[in-house]
Amino acid sequence: MEQPPYLLHFATPGARVSPFDVNMAYDAGWDAVIPYAGVGLDDIAAFTQDAIFSRGPRGVRRTALFIGGRDALLAADMLQAARSAMVPPFEVSVFADPSGAYTTAGAMIAKVEQALERVFQRGLSACRVLVLGGTGPVGLLVSTLAAQAGAQVFLGSHSGEAAARAASDALARRFGVRCTPLHSGDAQQRARALAQSEVVLAVAKAGVQVLSRRELETSGAHLLVAADVNAVPPEGIESVAVKDDARPLGLPGSAAVGIGALAIGNVKYKTEQALLRQLRETEQPRYFGFVECLEEARRQRG
């Protein structure tokens, strides 16, 4: 009997799905990736049940959902709503990765953990972590993952403390983590937070520099890792080059190392590919959110 094709139903609340993710899914071996725009939280349960009942037990194992969009917290809610809509044995796997934020955040935290372990023989727990660009999709997730790992997180926003506080409150309600809000656009507040931090994560939008070399040089001997996801010039953190992979930054009196966008992006790519393949190959339903992305990134970081 001919086997049914592997179908990935790609839902986004926005006007279009991401070509990046479509390419990744085909490269991971999916036979068809079907895009759906305008699918939000109120729609995802019915959307899920439309996908699960038509193919029977054999076909349902060759069906999965991918949730995109640009809102990291909305995607988490949609993932949970899709999971709750399953009616076993009619149950399919679901992977949420809005704008690549889940896999990027997982890769960034995995690479920071690796540098801390290999260079400084310590973990992320009890580190003070400064997140610059903390209200964006990746910023919200690296703040959450770092806090879940036991770090003390300063969640910074260049838009002001009110924006940072709103984001921190949202993470507390949704994931039960505590972050300290910070107006990182204020040079004095940024300097005070940097002076207390062992790790700084730059996750602002592409092409925006959020930390200068001069600021790094005044950070003190306690700074251990500076990581930047910005691959578009100028660097998000001056002196952290895109190919840096725990390269010493040469700061006065400091052993701090830098991790650049391509080192993080390589792990992000491998993580997304691995999870898309697992969606296709699994015999049992799997659900991949940002926590699972971090777990896979730890396996993929080398």
Side-chain angles (χ1 to χ4, degrees):
M1 181 181 296
E2 184 177 353
Q3 293 285 356
Y6 289 98
L7 303 181
L8 183 64
H9 297 283
F10 189 161
T12 177
R16 62 171 179 83
V17 301
S18 164
F20 182 100
D21 295 318
V22 172
N23 292 346
M24 293 282 282
Y26 276 113
D27 289 346
W30 287 88
D31 294 319
V33 182
I34 305 98
Y36 306 84
V39 180
L41 183 59
D42 292 340
D43 312 298
I44 194 65
F47 178 90
T48 299
Q49 292 179 350
D50 273 351
I52 65 177
F53 287 129
S54 61
R55 307 195 77 195
R58 192 161 57 100
V60 84
R61 288 197 297 272
R62 291 169 168 251
T63 309
L65 309 181
F66 188 96
I67 296 171
R70 299 192 62 81
D71 188 322
L73 303 187
L74 174 60
D77 290 338
M78 290 177 65
L79 174 61
Q80 182 57 49
R83 184 170 188 171
S84 298
M86 302 298 174
V87 184
F90 298 96
E91 187 175 3
V92 302
S93 297
V94 188
F95 180 9
D97 194 17
S99 294
Y102 285 17
T103 46
T104 299
M108 188 177 213
I109 293 295
K111 290 298 292 182
V112 168
E113 289 177 333
Q114 182 184 57
L116 287 169
E117 291 160 7
R118 290 184 176 179
V119 182
F120 302 103
Q121 294 75 53
R122 62 171 297 174
L124 194 56
S125 178
C127 276
R128 292 179 295 273
V129 177
L130 171 59
V131 181
L132 299 174
T135 57
V138 177
L140 292 171
L141 297 172
V142 294
S143 296
T144 300
L145 290 170
Q148 289 176 339
Q152 178 185 343
V153 177
F154 299 98
L155 191 158
S157 171
H158 273 53
S159 298
E161 186 172 337
R165 187 172 301 280
S168 299
D169 290 347
L171 297 184
R173 289 192 303 270
R174 184 66 180 78
F175 305 116
V177 298
R178 296 291 176 185
C179 301
T180 301
L182 170 74
H183 178 14
S184 55
D186 182 294
Q188 290 186 336
Q189 290 193 41
R190 187 169 66 246
R192 284 196 295 269
L194 181 61
Q196 300 176 60
S197 300
E198 286 90 11
V199 175
V200 58
L201 307 178
V203 289
K205 62 183 179 180
V208 175
Q209 189 164 101
V210 292
L211 204 62
S212 69
R213 172 76 184 191
R214 182 175 180 180
E215 288 176 295
L216 280 179
E217 290 178 345
T218 60
S219 61
H222 57 276
L223 182 66
L224 304 178
V225 179
D228 180 16
V229 297
N230 181 15
V232 178
E235 305 103 330
I237 302 177
E238 188 177 9
S239 297
V240 176
V242 293
K243 293 183 179 180
D244 284 353
D245 193 353
R247 180 185 67 85
L249 292 174
L251 302 177
S254 171
V257 300
I259 303 172
L262 293 186
I264 295 167
N266 182 50
V267 175
K268 177 261 187 297
Y269 178 89
K270 291 178 179 178
T271 299
E272 184 171 352
Q273 274 286 294
L275 293 178
L276 285 166
R277 287 195 300 270
Q278 289 175 40
L279 281 188
R280 188 173 60 82
E281 296 165 0
T282 184
E283 290 295 317
Q284 300 297 323
R286 304 282 300 278
Y287 297 92
F288 299 140
F290 60 87
V291 171
E292 291 74 23
C293 288
L294 173 57
E295 292 170 354
E296 185 61 38
R298 288 170 174 153
R299 292 188 281 270
Q300 297 295 329
R301 66 191 177 186

